[in-house]
Amino acid sequence: MVFLKMADVILLVTCSIREKAEQTIWNRLRQLKALKTKRPRSRVPLRIGILGCMAERLKGEILNREKMVDLLAGPDAYRDLPRLLAVVESGQQAANVLLSLDETYADIMPVQTSPSATSAFVSIMRGCDNMCSYCIVPFTRGRERSRPVASILDEVRKLSEQGVKEVTLLGQNVNSFRDNSEVQFNNAVSTNLSRGFTTNYKTKQGGLRFSHLLDQVSRIDPEMRIRFTSPHPKDFPDEVLQLIQERHNICKQIHLPAQSGSNRVLDAMRRGYSREAYVALVHHIRDCIPGVSLSSDFITGFCGETEDDHLQTVSLLREVQYNTGFLFAYSMRQKTRAYHRLKDDVPEEVKLRRLEELITVFREEASKANETSVGHTQLVLVEGFSKRSSTDLCGRNDANLKVVFPDAEVEDVTNSGQKVRAQPGDYVLVKITSASSQTLKGHVLCRTTMKDSSVYCLT
Ligand code: SAH
Ligand code: SF4
């Protein structure tokens, strides 16, 4: 709040994926309105801007509804911010919500606001062409486009030089990545599609694919962990799976959003796969990458979802036994195919009851899956002190699960066994002693490097 009071311009980055996300922004706007009206006349007026998906979805409606909003910029209009702010300075409202076919912000290097941060996100693509029937993303983020490989590698190199130890490649469909900007590959394999998967759009041809990008990114710094999210289950060719299996610094962790366990619902969602194709992919991934950690997204109460459909989702959760899950109650979004053609007919309390049931089942299964780590030694990237105790450190293992352990003096195996205390950004080996659905606990054995640790780690 202190910083808010000092600011002359406040820009809110917004999300429209569910109604709840938008509600949070309306509430925040009410607080800012109070701040704006209370501002002494001796200071320059406070300017408020809305950036991102809500600006794109609601356009002028926000300016009409909230007179105190000065500026709107959609997800592809950030370069225009200086001009928009100049218009605002002259006392008018300003808006740019044009979507672009090629904007990837490739030449804009984000500033790391926390210089001691151990991890960073790197955007590799924008937009989405999938048109799942429930989803607003294709309408707020526009068409799918990939950032040139060279500019991604440049950013990762800079992050490595700054000491960042973990990079997550970010996009709506990261594994559909195709950089057509420079080289035209006459690639014999013309599709990324996994077996049993289809798309709602014409698959693009040629270009540099996700496996190439992942290969190149993982070669930059052998001590840097590489993750990616969110992939779509349709684009998991064997080259990608092999690379994850082979490369020691690509985390053995795959997010595989299923959304539902019922074929009827998957069809209505236009996800382009059946439950059987999805489960076959899970088995194939587990065969290719032993010990891989899997996570997923699920939606409860989608249009027409019956109790039997819901039970099929429960059974998919039991069958796959995910390590992590993101579960949501369906939220009808305007413009989507479901909004125009289907009925949001599952009552809110039923959606929420089903959500609770999925959360319970997911926790039970994740606890069982995480229990298998007990007794094993794992490589953990230290993030800092645990939020709950200043005598415990906390970090993440390869599966991205939180690991908590007492802060103790340990041997540094990379520095002739000198005694040290682990710092944020260090890799340590931790012997796991207990597990829950979301956290592992253990005790620290030594400070090490990622390369050296492969000798000791059993998982
Ligand atoms: N591109 C990613 C998803 C990004 S949105 C993918 O396909 O995996 C993240 C998650 O939000 C989705 O996986 C879905 O589970 C959820 N979601 C999207 N639209 C939703 C809606 N209308 N209601 C509830 N959840 C939704
Ligand atoms: Fe939305 Fe589907 Fe695209 Fe994910 S893949 S962003 S759920 S339309």
Side-chain angles (χ1 to χ4, degrees):
M1 201 63 183
V2 178
F3 289 119
L4 285 183
K5 280 186 182 152
M6 283 160 59
D8 292 333
V9 178
I10 298 175
L11 303 175
L12 296 181
V13 182
T14 63
C15 170
S16 283
I17 195 89
R18 284 169 288 276
E19 186 58 35
K20 215 168 142 193
E22 291 197 358
Q23 211 45 59
T24 313
I25 296 294
W26 289 120
N27 294 342
R28 178 50 66 94
L29 273 176
R30 262 192 292 281
Q31 290 170 353
L32 296 182
K33 192 174 189 169
L35 206 64
K36 190 166 179 165
T37 42
K38 274 196 222 138
R39 187 131 159 147
R41 283 182 184 279
S42 53
R43 290 185 62 188
V44 291
L46 173 63
R47 306 299 187 188
I48 296 171
I50 304 277
L51 311 187
C53 289
M54 245 175 109
E56 195 61 53
R57 190 178 91 73
L58 295 168
K59 303 191 169 71
E61 200 183 317
I62 302 185
L63 296 181
N64 292 334
R65 182 168 154 184
E66 293 292 347
K67 293 283 180 240
M68 50 105 186
V69 172
D70 303 286
L71 180 155
L72 280 189
D76 288 343
Y78 300 154
R79 282 177 206 271
D80 200 23
L81 276 173
R83 185 191 68 82
L84 294 172
L85 281 166
V87 173
V88 166
E89 276 314 295
S90 72
Q92 302 168 57
Q93 287 182 318
N96 182 347
V97 287
L98 287 178
L99 285 174
S100 155
L101 289 178
D102 51 18
E103 177 62 271
T104 59
Y105 299 110
D107 52 334
I108 295 181
M109 290 292 156
V111 176
Q112 282 281 102
T113 46
S114 160
S116 63
T118 54
S119 50
F121 290 98
V122 173
S123 170
I124 65 163
M125 50 130 49
R126 299 185 69 80
C128 178
D129 288 345
N130 270 340
M131 294 283 182
C132 301
S133 64
Y134 51 83
C135 184
I136 191 140
V137 168
F139 303 95
T140 56
R141 291 294 183 101
R143 301 303 302 267
E144 184 178 297
R145 64 222 106 116
S146 298
R147 178 177 167 188
V149 168
S151 102
I152 298 170
L153 298 182
D154 224 29
E155 184 174 343
V156 175
R157 257 182 235 114
K158 288 199 174 103
L159 290 168
S160 160
E161 282 158 17
Q162 287 166 19
V164 168
K165 290 290 180 54
E166 181 182 85
V167 153
T168 304
L169 306 178
L170 207 58
Q172 291 300 343
N173 284 283
V174 277
N175 51 344
S176 319
F177 181 91
R178 260 173 209 268
D179 171 12
N180 284 306
S181 64
E182 282 174 36
V183 197
Q184 282 298 321
F185 269 14
N186 224 350
N187 214 326
V189 190
S190 61
T191 173
N192 258 3
L193 284 186
S194 318
R195 211 169 299 138
F197 291 76
T198 59
T199 63
N200 298 325
Y201 60 92
K202 195 164 168 280
T203 316
K204 294 184 190 112
Q205 303 287 316
L208 298 171
R209 309 277 193 83
F210 185 61
S211 53
H212 172 85
L213 176 72
L214 203 53
D215 173 42
Q216 295 292 303
V217 168
S218 65
R219 286 176 191 275
I220 288 178
D221 179 351
E223 289 300 309
M224 182 186 254
R225 272 179 172 171
I226 310 300
R227 303 184 191 278
F228 56 88
T229 199
S230 190
H232 191 286
K234 71 182 163 55
D235 291 319
F236 271 108
D238 284 351
E239 305 97 86
V240 171
L241 299 177
Q242 261 163 27
L243 196 66
I244 298 173
Q245 196 273 324
E246 280 167 22
R247 215 42 72 76
H248 77 278
N249 62 339
I250 304 180
C251 293
K252 314 292 174 262
Q253 173 227 343
I254 294 184
H255 187 55
L256 206 60
Q259 313 299 355
S260 171
S262 150
N263 280 335
R264 229 176 49 78
V265 176
L266 286 171
D267 200 39
M269 289 177 161
R270 304 190 90 211
R271 286 290 290 176
Y273 52 83
S274 62
R275 175 191 175 117
E276 291 72 24
Y278 179 89
V279 170
L281 178 65
V282 168
H283 288 308
H284 183 55
I285 290 176
R286 285 191 164 144
D287 287 345
C288 294
I289 313 170
V292 66
S293 155
L294 293 181
S295 57
S296 188
D297 292 347
F298 284 95
I299 298 175
T300 62
F302 183 60
C303 308
E305 186 190 71
T306 62
E307 211 51 36
D308 182 57
D309 293 321
H310 167 63
L311 290 176
Q312 289 182 46
T313 301
V314 171
S315 90
L316 184 65
L317 278 179
R318 294 255 187 240
E319 187 174 351
V320 177
Q321 208 181 52
Y322 298 97
N323 298 77
T324 311
F326 302 92
L327 314 170
F328 312 101
Y330 174 58
S331 166
M332 175 71 101
R333 310 313 285 141
Q334 275 174 12
K335 291 195 179 169
T336 58
R337 191 179 166 92
Y339 177 81
H340 290 298
R341 309 221 178 157
L342 303 175
K343 238 177 131 191
D344 184 13
D345 53 0
V346 179
E348 200 55 28
E349 65 275 13
V350 175
K351 285 179 187 170
L352 294 178
R353 195 254 301 150
R354 289 180 187 168
L355 182 65
E356 282 305 314
E357 283 174 14
L358 288 196
I359 291 172
T360 306
V361 174
F362 153 72
R363 286 204 176 132
E364 282 170 19
E365 295 302 321
S367 296
K368 280 190 232 161
N370 297 340
E371 195 66 37
T372 60
S373 301
V374 175
H376 289 265
T377 299
Q378 296 195 343
L379 182 71
V380 173
L381 176 59
V382 180
E383 289 177 349
F385 283 105
S386 152
K387 281 198 187 112
R388 298 211 174 149
S389 151
S390 57
T391 56
D392 284 340
L393 288 174
C394 129
R396 304 232 161 219
N397 67 3
D398 188 90
N400 212 13
L401 213 65
K402 195 197 278 181
V403 182
V404 177
F405 51 93
D407 176 19
E409 228 177 30
V410 283
E411 263 183 37
D412 182 359
V413 295
T414 62
N415 196 3
S416 44
Q418 258 194 6
K419 291 284 184 193
V420 289
R421 281 208 126 90
Q423 303 296 320
D426 284 348
Y427 286 109
V428 291
L429 288 181
V430 176
K431 177 113 178 173
I432 305 300
T433 51
S434 70
S436 70
S437 64
Q438 289 175 48
T439 315
L440 302 179
K441 288 188 176 168
H443 55 260
V444 58
L445 301 178
C446 61
R447 183 161 87 173
T448 182
T449 60
M450 200 186 310
K451 211 163 116 261
D452 288 338
S453 72
S454 47
V455 180
Y456 305 97
C457 279
L458 301 173
T459 52

